[in-house]
Amino acid sequence: MKFNSIKSRLLLMTLICVLGMSLLVASQHFFTQRLVSLHEQRDLLLRLGQDLLQMRRHEKDFLLRHQIDYFNRFNERADIFNNHLKALVPLFKEFSLPDKRAGELAQGVHDYQKLFQKVVHLQLQIGLNTAHGLQGELASVEAMLSRESAFAYGTQLYQQFVIAQLSIRNFLLTKDAYYQQQFDDAVNQAKMPLSDTSSSAAKALENYRQTFAKLADATTAMGITHQQGLTGDFRRQAHLVEAQLNQLDQDLQPMIELQENQVRTYSISIAGLTSVTLILLLIKSFATFHRAFANFVMFFYRCKRQYQKIDPRQLGFAEFKSLAELANDMVESRRDIERKLATAEARLEESTHVNPTQ
């Protein structure tokens, strides 16, 4: 199809506009969908961060208040975290992101949960309060010793018994090994007057020493400070999970920026290409129209002096070519009429010369 008419040029410009707008809308829709998916992924990461924050909160509440309800809340939040993480994996595959990071995060959370379970199990052994676990056993042994006549108030062993009790309280409060040694010294001092090791007082004192040794070992295993023992391992694992989650967010951010840049680039390219094409087409059409109009003006100007046909090939548009053919036919018809008129006038003049009397 030759676009050599005004109608076809207008149709071509309309098609270019429609095509450009269609491409622009299609690209906007495509990249918007990808951006929506990426932002959904970002929202999932934010939810993961919130879930992890809640897990850390329940962890600290348990370590502070020693209530098993916080352990149950921790497990519930961990299940929610894992579900959100499973929903995140398909999005990673969609955008060709390293899904191994999601696997590392899942493994990190699993280890974090296992370590917290060990912390809870060890705390249950120690005792959630003074009436349970090793603390409860120690309190029972102390009550048994206090009922022994050898440790009654005012006796020789009472002072050592009080020192041992204070050492236990100070150790549980400060977790300082000095008080553990002080307890051992007090118990050893109390054993010396008890010559009969098979007596109930001696057995109770030995049970007292063994129970506290178990409690001290469990407390040490839990961690003298927050950076030591099982508590330290647990907290380091929690920090590792936080770092892995931050790394996922850092991996996602360049993808969002890339998609936004692609949206901007494609939109500007399509709009620019469409605009340039339309401008070039308009310039060419205007030049063709101006040339054709100028030829017609010159044609009518020359027709006042002489008969001259217009060349249709110089007009460009088919509509002007049709007008040029009509104008040439008009010129040719006028020439024929004038030739016939001249012939008639010549004949009339001849007849006048032949019959002068008439």
Side-chain angles (χ1 to χ4, degrees):
M1 179 179 181
K2 295 182 179 180
F3 296 96
N4 58 352
S5 66
I6 297 176
K7 181 179 179 180
S8 61
R9 291 288 178 90
L10 291 175
L11 180 61
L12 178 60
M13 286 187 282
T14 303
L15 289 175
I16 291 174
C17 290
V18 172
L19 180 61
M21 292 299 296
S22 300
L23 289 175
L24 188 61
V25 170
S27 65
Q28 288 288 338
H29 176 73
F30 174 74
F31 286 108
T32 299
Q33 290 298 112
R34 292 179 68 86
L35 282 174
V36 168
S37 298
L38 285 171
H39 283 292
E40 287 178 354
Q41 189 170 352
R42 189 72 178 274
D43 290 339
L44 281 175
L45 283 177
L46 291 176
R47 292 178 187 176
L48 288 175
Q50 293 172 356
D51 294 336
L52 183 60
L53 186 62
Q54 288 295 327
M55 291 167 67
R56 295 301 309 274
R57 177 184 175 185
H58 297 325
E59 157 218 326
K60 295 180 185 300
D61 286 338
F62 175 82
L63 294 176
L64 181 64
R65 297 178 174 86
H66 295 163
Q67 295 179 6
I68 200 65
D69 179 61
Y70 293 111
F71 174 63
N72 296 329
R73 294 183 185 181
F74 177 91
N75 288 331
E76 291 175 359
R77 185 58 64 173
D79 292 337
I80 295 174
F81 183 96
N82 290 326
N83 291 333
H84 286 161
L85 186 58
K86 289 178 182 178
L88 191 65
V89 173
L91 294 176
F92 267 66
K93 294 181 179 179
E94 179 182 354
F95 293 97
S96 301
L97 292 173
D99 54 353
K100 67 176 183 179
R101 295 196 185 279
E104 292 173 355
L105 179 60
Q107 184 62 42
V109 173
H110 177 74
D111 295 340
Y112 174 51
Q113 194 173 3
K114 287 294 184 183
L115 283 172
F116 186 61
Q117 290 175 355
K118 290 182 180 179
V119 169
V120 173
H121 180 70
L122 186 57
Q123 187 62 51
L124 289 174
Q125 289 182 355
I126 295 173
L128 297 179
N129 51 49
T130 57
H132 296 86
L134 291 173
Q135 294 186 83
E137 292 181 18
L138 195 64
S140 298
V141 175
E142 281 185 348
M144 187 185 300
L145 281 173
S146 64
R147 289 192 295 269
E148 292 288 339
S149 58
F151 294 95
Y153 180 76
T155 61
Q156 181 181 0
L157 299 181
Y158 178 76
Q159 183 179 1
Q160 300 300 325
F161 180 54
V162 171
I163 293 174
Q165 286 181 310
L166 290 175
S167 298
I168 291 174
R169 276 39 172 197
N170 288 329
F171 176 79
L172 293 177
L173 183 63
T174 64
K175 298 180 182 179
D176 191 343
Y178 167 77
Y179 296 107
Q180 186 177 4
Q181 183 62 42
Q182 189 181 58
F183 171 85
D184 291 336
D185 293 341
V187 170
N188 291 331
Q189 289 292 329
K191 277 185 177 181
M192 294 176 63
L194 297 175
S195 57
D196 186 5
T197 57
S198 62
S199 63
S200 60
K203 290 180 179 180
L205 186 62
E206 180 61 22
N207 189 17
Y208 190 41
R209 185 188 66 79
Q210 292 179 359
T211 303
F212 176 69
K214 292 179 182 179
L215 179 61
D217 291 341
T219 302
T220 303
M222 180 68 78
I224 300 300
T225 65
H226 293 308
Q227 304 299 326
Q228 296 177 346
L230 189 58
T231 303
D233 295 338
F234 167 70
R235 290 184 180 276
R236 282 189 289 273
Q237 184 62 33
H239 294 156
L240 177 61
V241 172
E242 290 176 346
Q244 290 173 338
L245 191 59
N246 290 333
Q247 186 61 47
L248 279 179
D249 186 64
Q250 292 177 6
D251 290 340
L252 183 61
Q253 186 60 34
M255 288 298 299
I256 295 178
E257 294 177 356
L258 177 62
Q259 293 297 317
E260 290 176 347
N261 291 333
Q262 286 184 345
V263 170
R264 191 179 301 109
T265 301
Y266 277 88
S267 299
I268 294 175
S269 299
I270 293 173
L273 182 61
T274 303
S275 300
V276 169
T277 304
L278 285 174
I279 290 172
L280 292 176
L281 186 59
L282 285 172
I283 291 174
K284 183 178 180 181
S285 299
F286 176 77
T288 303
F289 182 84
H290 179 72
R291 185 174 65 251
F293 187 77
N295 287 331
F296 260 103
V297 171
M298 185 61 65
F299 165 74
F300 288 117
Y301 178 76
R302 290 175 179 175
C303 280
K304 293 191 300 181
R305 302 177 181 178
Q306 58 181 351
Y307 295 116
Q308 183 178 1
K309 292 184 179 181
I310 187 171
D311 187 2
R313 293 174 299 178
Q314 297 180 356
L315 300 180
F317 290 123
E319 290 82 357
F320 284 109
K321 291 180 180 180
S322 299
L323 291 175
E325 291 176 357
L326 292 175
N328 290 335
D329 290 341
M330 181 186 67
V331 170
E332 191 64 32
S333 298
R334 187 172 178 179
R335 280 181 178 177
D336 291 340
I337 292 172
E338 288 185 354
R339 281 197 298 267
K340 291 178 181 179
L341 180 61
T343 302
E345 288 178 350
R347 288 177 181 178
L348 181 60
E349 186 176 352
E350 288 178 0
S351 63
T352 303
H353 289 299
V354 172
N355 301 308
T357 58
Q358 297 179 0

